[in-house]
Amino acid sequence: MAAAPLCAFTRTQKILVLSPDPDLAALFAAAFSSAEAEVSVLARGKGAIEALFIDPPDMLVVDQKLADIPGLDLVAMVKSENVYRQLPVALVMEESQLGTDIDWCAAEVDELLTRPMTAPMLRARITLSLARATRSLDANPLTKLPGNTSIIGRIQDLIDRREDFALAYADLDYFKSFNDKYGFSRGDEVLMMTARIIVNTVRAVGGPKAFVGHVGGDDFVYIMAIDRVEEACRAVVSSFDGIVPHFYDADDRDRGFIQSVDREGNRRAFPLMAISIAVVFNRDGRLKHFGEASQTAMTLKKKAKENPKSCYVLDKRQG
C-alpha cells in the first residue's frame, strides 16, 4: 500500500509508461495508489503519439529498451510536437549504461530513472517531477512567482489543516492609465518592482513559511502569520509609495497626475499609481473553502479603492 501523498495534487495524475518490462509496471502499481495515479502501460513506442493525443497524460515515462524504437528517439519525437514541449518526460535505463556515449545536453528528458530501482525511489522521483512541472507551468512568466493553481492550493491546504493565517490581496490603482501612456515595457517594470517589494517585505517580516503569489496582471497575494501581516502591509505601502513616482516622467511626477483615456474613451487626469491591499483572516477554522476568502477580499478591495492613496484594509469581522 502506498504511503501518504508526497504532494497535494488536486486530482488523480495520469502517467503513460512506454516499456516492455513487466517489472516496471509492477513497480508503478506498488508505488502509487489508484487514487493518486492512473498508470497506463504500452509495451511498444509505436502509436505513442496517437495515444498522447487521445488521452493526454500528466507525465510520460519512456524505457530506453523499447523493442521498436530507442527511447531517446521517441522522446525527441514527442518533444517535437509543440503541444507536448512542456510535458514532463522520464527516461528509464540501466545504471550500467550511464557511461555510454549519450549527449545529455541534447536529450530532452526531465527526469532519469535507473535500474535497479525500488518502489519508494520511483514514487519519490516521479512525484517530485510532477510537482516541479506543476510549479513551472503555474509560474507567472514575468515575475516567476507562483500563479493561480499554486495560490489556490496553498490557501485550501491551510484551510484544510485548520491553520490560522492572514491572506492579503494586493493590486495597483491607476495601473492601466500608466500602461496606456508609457507602454507595456515600463508597465512590466512596475510589476517587477512591486513583486520585489512584496517578496522582500514578506520574507523579512513573515518568516520562511510566508508565501507570495502573482495572480496575474497587477494582482498579487501573500500569506503569513496573523500577528505580522499589518506590519508587512505598512512596509509594502511605504516602499511602494517611495519608489513608484520615479517611474513617471519628471513633469508628470511634479504635477502628481497624468493625462490618459479612461475605459469609456474620455480623456481625464489620473493620480500616480497607488497600491490597495485587502486582508482576510482565518482563525479557528472559520474558513471552509478558498472561495470564501476570495469573495471577502474582493469586498474589502472595493472599500480600499475608495481611498485614492495607497492603503490596506483589514477584515475586522475576522481579525
Side-chain angles (χ1 to χ4, degrees), residues 32-315:
F32 295 97
S33 70
S34 59
E36 292 172 329
E38 177 186 317
V39 181
S40 302
V41 181
L42 298 177
R44 301 175 64 83
K46 185 178 180 180
I49 300 296
E50 290 81 355
L52 289 172
F53 274 113
I54 293 170
D55 189 15
D58 296 294
M59 184 167 190
L60 176 65
V61 179
V62 179
D63 199 330
Q64 177 68 352
K65 64 179 184 181
L66 282 170
D68 56 336
I69 180 172
L72 282 172
D73 290 353
L74 190 141
V75 171
M77 289 171 53
V78 170
K79 292 287 189 174
S80 69
E81 299 284 344
N82 284 334
V83 70
Y84 294 123
R85 293 294 299 169
Q86 301 301 321
L87 175 68
V89 176
L91 180 70
V92 182
M93 61 187 300
E94 307 297 326
E95 187 172 350
S96 60
Q97 293 180 305
L98 292 178
T100 58
D101 188 19
I102 297 176
D103 185 356
W104 292 111
C105 293
E108 296 188 86
V109 297
D110 307 285
E111 183 62 84
L112 180 65
L113 304 171
T114 58
R115 299 183 180 91
M117 183 168 33
T118 64
M121 178 59 73
L122 175 69
R123 175 182 173 79
R125 299 292 291 270
I126 292 294
T127 304
L128 288 171
S129 186
L130 284 165
R132 185 167 59 245
T134 300
R135 290 193 297 269
S136 177
L137 288 172
D138 185 47
N140 184 275
L142 176 66
T143 62
K144 303 301 187 288
L145 290 173
N148 271 325
T149 301
S150 297
I151 292 168
I152 292 171
R154 178 63 66 95
I155 295 170
Q156 191 60 54
D157 181 54
L158 290 171
I159 290 173
D160 291 343
R161 289 194 277 117
R162 296 179 62 84
E163 288 196 17
D164 289 356
F165 64 89
L167 170 64
Y169 280 83
D171 74 348
L172 307 186
D173 304 325
Y174 319 118
F175 178 71
K176 181 182 183 300
S177 59
F178 178 91
N179 244 2
D180 290 344
K181 176 165 184 177
Y182 290 110
F184 291 106
S185 178
R186 206 184 296 195
D188 284 349
E189 291 176 8
V190 170
L191 295 178
M192 287 296 297
M193 176 272 294
T194 304
R196 284 194 294 271
I197 286 174
I198 294 175
V199 168
N200 291 338
T201 300
V202 170
R203 180 182 296 134
V205 177
K209 290 187 177 181
F211 172 89
V212 178
H214 189 172
V215 179
D218 62 336
D219 293 299
F220 296 87
V221 163
Y222 51 98
I223 304 171
M224 56 195 305
I226 290 175
D227 60 352
R228 296 182 180 182
V229 71
E230 191 165 4
E231 179 185 350
C233 289
R234 284 196 298 266
V236 168
V237 166
S238 177
S239 296
F240 184 88
D241 285 350
I243 295 173
V244 79
H246 298 287
F247 284 87
Y248 289 83
D249 291 346
D251 291 346
D252 290 336
R253 184 166 62 247
D254 292 341
R255 279 193 299 267
F257 65 88
I258 62 173
Q259 294 287 340
S260 189
V261 178
D262 64 18
R263 297 181 188 276
E264 286 72 42
N266 302 313
R267 191 165 183 80
R268 51 168 287 210
F270 290 88
L272 302 189
M273 281 180 288
I275 188 166
S276 295
I277 307 173
V279 183
V280 180
F281 298 100
N282 185 47
R283 292 183 186 274
D284 302 320
R286 181 183 186 279
L287 297 175
K288 304 303 179 187
H289 190 266
F290 74 87
E292 297 177 54
S294 180
Q295 186 61 47
T296 302
M298 295 309 103
T299 302
L300 292 173
K301 279 212 302 185
K302 290 179 182 178
K303 182 175 179 60
K305 287 179 177 295
E306 293 174 2
N307 187 340
K309 298 183 179 298
S310 294
C311 67
Y312 62 91
V313 176
L314 307 179
D315 185 4

Side-chain angles (χ1 to χ4, degrees), residues 17 19-29 41 43 63 65 115:
V17 179
S19 173
D21 182 3
D23 291 338
L24 183 60
L27 272 179
F28 269 96
V41 181
D63 199 330
K65 64 179 184 181
R115 299 183 180 91

